[in-house]
Amino acid sequence: MHFKHRLRDATLAGLAAFVAVICLSYLKSWAHFMVLSAPLGATLVLLLLLPSAPLSRPKHVVLGHLLTTSVAVIGLELLPDPILGLAVCFGLGITLMVLTDTLHPPAGANPILIYLSGAHLPPMDFILPTLSGTLFMVAFASLYHRAFTHRRYPFGPKAAPSAAGNTPRAGGKQERCGKKSS
């Protein structure tokens, strides 16, 4: 990929990340709970820059985060020892994500974040922000890719160019007026 294209993609992704963080910060003041966290920041990087990766699928993003957050919330109640509880919840979260086909690496950090916060909040004070944040990220990534990369997130081929006479072909090549171009 040429430097010019890498620069454009990097700049667009950086600006999109800026907008997403601003939106999530305002959502915090509106919803009265913290929606942005380090694991969700890592999720946004995947969604903006690796949208077609299997681990970036909405199912993996939303359910992976919810699963590991739920495991940590239950762990806080059943295993209050921070070292043992964190280790069990971290390992169990990874195991359950693999078994449920919802593996999403940034979600693995949720038990660490929850245990290290030391907060003993009602379970929904962890689960609702996770759900809100992941749903926002998936919707944001979908809008971003439709507007700037002309791809449907998370699946689908590149959208057809708007210029008349161009039709997409298999393998990413295009036909112009019946002639192949590479």
Side-chain angles (χ1 to χ4, degrees), residues 56-152:
S56 296
R57 293 179 182 147
K59 168 186 151 183
H60 292 252
V61 172
V62 176
L63 296 180
H65 277 288
L66 283 177
L67 185 65
T68 57
T69 299
S70 299
V71 165
V73 166
I74 292 168
L76 279 176
E77 294 300 317
L78 301 178
L79 300 165
D81 176 72
I83 296 170
L84 180 62
L86 173 56
V88 167
C89 290
F90 184 70
L92 185 58
I94 291 171
T95 301
L96 291 175
M97 283 192 293
V98 170
L99 291 175
T100 59
D101 191 30
T102 58
L103 183 63
H104 183 66
N110 287 329
I112 297 170
L113 179 69
I114 290 170
Y115 265 88
L116 292 182
S117 75
H120 290 284
L121 301 170
M124 294 311 280
D125 285 357
F126 290 110
I127 294 170
L128 279 177
T130 299
L131 179 61
S132 302
T134 56
L135 290 175
F136 173 85
M137 293 289 188
V138 167
F140 185 85
S142 180
L143 292 171
Y144 168 79
H145 287 291
R146 184 165 295 277
F148 297 108
T149 67
H150 308 293
R151 292 186 181 269
R152 287 178 282 156

